[in-house]
Amino acid sequence: MSGVTHDELPQRARGRKDRHLHKEGDVSEKPGEKEVCMRERPGKEYEFLDHTADVQIHSWGRTVEEVFENQGLGMFDYMTDRTTVEPKETITFEVTDAHDYRSLLYKFMDELLFHFSAEFFTLHEVRITSLNTADWSLKGTAWGERWDRNKHAIGTEIKAITFASLRVIPPDEDAQEDDYEGVRPPPGNWSAYVVVDI
């Protein structure tokens, strides 16, 4: 694993909990990316919100799959600058045994974090290829590369995904203005909030 140790992975950065908005652009602009990974990402957005000693990731998108994908992108952008991560490796994953959107999102993010913690896999892009609400499972593909301290910026390590305060808000839900923190997503968009332990 290129001689990388856990001590060299992104660690807690004091004062990193600043609020900022990241709007995801077209990842296909970089030459040499694998065609399967290239995709326009209109409406792919997320932001980081302060949450006591942790950080909250708020994502939104036109579909529930986009909201989940944006949570994963946001999580990795908090740990490093994803624009420096290349799609050199591909992993496929499956999440099962959930019982609703909340538990499915939790397990999805935990799966991505596992690949980072165990294999140093740093995310460039992620796509959910199927999401089944009959048995609350999903399958997906992620592109990225192994974390390299000489290439990837050191952000804040995310230690765990928390279930507390985790919310998935469908577009048809009659949400009140105070149900949202930060940016209000465009009409017809899904929205999700996940607190991560730093």
Side-chain angles (χ1 to χ4, degrees):
M1 296 193 193
S2 307
V4 177
T5 67
H6 277 281
D7 291 338
E8 296 166 329
L9 289 174
Q11 295 298 311
R12 178 178 232 157
R14 296 179 193 269
R16 174 78 205 280
K17 292 179 61 180
D18 53 324
R19 289 174 77 139
H20 67 283
L21 178 68
H22 180 85
K23 292 186 179 183
E24 192 61 31
D26 178 14
V27 298
S28 67
E29 294 176 357
K30 292 183 180 179
E33 286 186 350
K34 296 178 183 174
E35 186 174 330
V36 69
C37 182
M38 297 191 288
R39 171 164 93 169
E40 291 264 343
R41 286 195 164 276
K44 292 269 187 177
E45 298 175 319
Y46 53 86
E47 65 180 339
F48 305 116
L49 303 172
D50 288 336
H51 188 275
T52 57
D54 298 320
V55 69
Q56 184 175 51
I57 303 170
H58 171 215
S59 69
W60 56 94
R62 296 168 299 176
T63 64
V64 68
E65 291 88 354
E66 284 187 3
V67 157
F68 281 32
E69 292 166 359
N70 284 335
Q71 280 290 330
L73 297 174
M75 177 172 65
F76 277 88
D77 238 357
Y78 199 76
M79 293 192 290
T80 192
D81 177 4
R82 276 190 326 98
T83 62
T84 65
V85 179
E86 297 178 62
K88 293 180 176 179
E89 297 179 32
T90 303
I91 60 169
T92 57
F93 55 87
E94 183 172 1
V95 175
T96 59
D97 299 324
H99 57 273
D100 58 13
Y101 283 121
R102 291 179 69 223
S103 58
L104 192 59
L105 177 57
Y106 172 87
K107 287 174 175 259
F108 163 71
M109 291 190 65
D110 194 52
E111 178 74 14
L112 292 179
L113 188 58
F114 167 78
H115 286 286
F116 177 75
S117 299
E119 303 162 0
F120 307 121
F121 181 82
T122 306
L123 187 70
H124 168 82
E125 179 64 62
V126 64
R127 183 179 305 159
I128 294 175
T129 55
S130 70
L131 190 150
N132 187 337
T133 57
D135 65 357
W136 294 106
S137 65
L138 64 78
K139 293 179 182 178
T141 304
W143 296 268
E145 63 182 320
R146 302 221 183 259
W147 191 82
D148 178 349
R149 70 175 179 265
N150 297 316
K151 180 179 180 182
H152 305 118
I154 298 175
T156 303
E157 178 185 19
I158 292 177
K159 298 174 185 170
I161 312 304
T162 68
F163 201 73
S165 303
L166 192 151
R167 294 181 285 159
V168 178
I169 304 170
D172 57 347
E173 187 171 295
D174 190 21
Q176 303 300 313
E177 189 66 36
D178 60 353
D179 288 342
Y180 294 97
E181 298 173 49
V183 172
R184 175 80 186 235
N189 273 233
W190 287 74
S191 189
Y193 295 87
V194 177
V195 175
V196 293
D197 178 14
I198 56 173

